[in-house]
Amino acid sequence: MPQRKFLFRLAPLALAAHLAMSGAAAAQGAPGTQGAVQPAADPALAAQIDQRAKAIEDKLIAWRRDIHQHPELGNQEHRTSKLVADHLRALGMDVKTGVAGTGVVAVLKGGKPGPVVALRADMDALPVKEQVDVPFASKAKGTYLGKEVDVMHACGHDTHTAILMATAEVLAGMKDQLPGTVKFIFQPAEESPADFEPYGKKIWGAKMMVQEGVLDNPKVDAIFGLHVSSAYPAGWLAWRGGPAMAAADQFWIDVTGKQTHGARPWSGIDPIVVSSQIILGLQTIPSRQINSMLEPAVITVGAIHGGNRMNIVPDSVAMTGTIRTYDEGMKKDIHQRIARTADMIAQSAGAKADVRVVELYNATVNPPALAEQMGPTLRRVAGEGNYGLQPKSTASEDFSFYQEKVPGMFFYLGVTPKGTDVDKAAPNHSPRFYVDESGLINGVRALSNLTLDYMAKAQKGG
């Protein structure tokens, strides 16, 4: 239906919902977050990473500000991808552009044989008008689903790109000491494409990059990625083993009734009343129909449209919403229950309900063994009292598509100024989302150390 273009909402897809996390108050207790900080297996290499990261911190911040001032929507990251590709080529890497549209992939071969580690950053921005008073605030415009919109890096992907650019420079400077290969993945459209509405037939972002072979030639053994978050103080690291972020699906329900005069509702079939009953019925699925002791789930109707006059019962109502789950079997079961609930409520009133579900992103799951293996690295990088358990997030990330093919670990980096109440900080996707750049260097240190430590453990058969 034509209305569906206006029903689709971008913000729920990625990190807008991540504020369900409790931030720095999170308890330490999941695999990988327990235990005291331990010294590096190779203190000299760890010290070299710190030295190199500190030496380019000003460049890191400059890159971030440049990208922040020139944001680009999903599948439109042409300027950003050129900036990235030019930098990687200057470092002497084998660089491939145009992957999944505007993606960039570079390979750094170490001086010694070993595993292939991939590091991923997303490059796209959001259709948000910036309200942060900084000299490099975005004034950019873009085209989202055919309409001109304001554009802002309201989710921090500018920091992700800059952090990985800096990580590439750090590791390139240590090339001869690397026991393995590093693949740098700069991905478009994590927030979904801006040039078409997802409808289940086209793919984009990480899923398209995987389809185009980004994890092959050379074959990736493990992948790491991070996301900045306002829910933690600057430089704080948070992670968890197992399901960490939810799957995100979108559903549409079109309810067809029979138009009539608002003063004579018995002469027709009121799709507005039926729709309200369906909305209430959907809420009984997570609250009464599934075992929430196994995994939580969320069903939210985010938009509903029907009618155009106070005294006319319309013919139809259209609604759309999001489903968040952590378990694949539970997700499929909920899809069936949504269709059944809508259909049977509509039938009880003589109406008709058409249900469509599109699976967008799968659950982001950190393999517990990998989280346990790499936890000591993150604890060491963060330092005592500066790391913790990431609570499950109902936000979603297409990093999950990499994890379905190879072991992958995704973690959070805090960017709220220290001393600020994180519960009052503007969340990701807010026009007031603010990044304390002093914490970004920990992102470079984390990705660089994860790479070297994973390679070293693989050399030892760990």
Side-chain angles (χ1 to χ4, degrees), residues 10 67-68 70-77 80 122-128 138 140 144 149-158 161 187-194 429:
L10 176 70
I67 297 167
H68 186 88
H70 301 92
E72 297 169 299
L73 297 170
N75 286 346
Q76 299 173 10
E77 308 92 340
T80 307
D122 37 14
M123 302 185 293
D124 55 322
L126 287 161
V128 173
S138 170
Y144 177 69
V149 294
D150 294 289
V151 184
M152 175 192 175
H153 269 294
C155 202
H157 296 188
D158 52 335
T161 303
Q187 176 203 308
E190 189 279 326
E191 299 285 359
S192 85
H429 286 220

Side-chain angles (χ1 to χ4, degrees), residues 373-455:
Q373 178 185 359
M374 306 313 302
T377 300
L378 294 179
R379 292 200 303 269
R380 186 183 75 245
V381 168
E384 202 69 67
N386 204 37
Y387 63 89
L389 170 65
Q390 173 215 328
K392 282 184 179 178
S393 171
T394 48
S396 301
E397 242 285 347
D398 71 356
F399 189 81
S400 57
F401 293 117
Y402 302 115
Q403 292 174 313
E404 290 178 350
K405 300 297 183 180
V406 299
M409 186 172 178
F410 197 73
F411 60 98
Y412 281 105
L413 170 66
V415 290
T416 291
K418 292 181 178 179
T420 302
D421 185 348
V422 294
D423 292 328
K424 296 180 180 178
N428 295 52
H429 286 220
S430 164
R432 294 175 295 279
F433 176 66
Y434 177 80
V435 170
D436 182 343
E437 295 167 333
S438 69
L440 301 186
I441 191 172
N442 265 8
V444 179
R445 294 176 62 238
L447 291 177
S448 300
N449 277 281
L450 285 168
T451 300
L452 279 168
D453 287 359
Y454 182 89
M455 289 178 175

Side-chain angles (χ1 to χ4, degrees), residues 7-18 126 191 246-250 300 302 321-324 360-361 394-397 429:
L7 292 177
F8 178 72
R9 293 293 182 267
L10 176 70
L13 292 185
L15 275 154
H18 89 297
L126 287 161
E191 299 285 359
D249 303 325
Q250 185 172 4
T300 295
T322 187
I323 308 163
R324 303 295 166 126
L360 298 173
Y361 301 158
T394 48
S396 301
E397 242 285 347
H429 286 220

Side-chain angles (χ1 to χ4, degrees), residues 142-302:
T143 302
Y144 177 69
L145 297 182
K147 292 186 176 182
E148 184 179 75
V149 294
D150 294 289
V151 184
M152 175 192 175
H153 269 294
C155 202
H157 296 188
D158 52 335
T159 68
H160 304 166
T161 303
I163 286 170
L164 193 54
M165 290 172 69
T167 303
E169 185 160 332
V170 167
L171 294 178
M174 305 171 64
K175 176 180 177 180
D176 292 343
Q177 302 169 75
L178 293 180
T181 297
V182 189
K183 184 175 285 189
F184 298 93
I185 299 173
F186 292 84
Q187 176 203 308
E190 189 279 326
E191 299 285 359
S192 85
D195 49 349
F196 67 89
E197 178 186 354
Y199 58 94
K201 300 297 182 183
K202 286 186 175 182
I203 63 172
W204 65 90
K207 194 170 188 177
M208 179 175 282
M209 295 202 85
V210 171
Q211 180 175 284
E212 293 189 9
V214 72
L215 298 177
D216 302 315
N217 301 318
K219 188 179 184 306
V220 170
D221 294 293
I223 185 168
F224 299 98
L226 62 77
H227 207 298
V228 296
S229 171
S230 66
Y232 304 102
W236 180 280
L237 298 181
W239 67 98
R240 73 178 298 117
M245 301 177 71
D249 303 325
Q250 185 172 4
F251 67 88
W252 292 263
I253 302 176
D254 297 324
V255 179
T256 303
K258 181 181 178 183
Q259 185 167 316
T260 185
H261 196 293
R264 294 177 55 84
W266 54 85
S267 299
I269 299 172
D270 191 340
I272 292 178
V273 171
V274 172
S275 296
S276 67
Q277 293 171 335
I278 289 174
I279 292 170
L280 292 175
L282 294 180
Q283 300 313 304
T284 70
I285 296 174
S287 68
R288 290 293 182 270
Q289 298 183 41
I290 63 171
N291 186 352
S292 58
M293 297 298 292
L294 298 177
E295 292 289 354
V298 174
I299 300 174
T300 295
V301 175

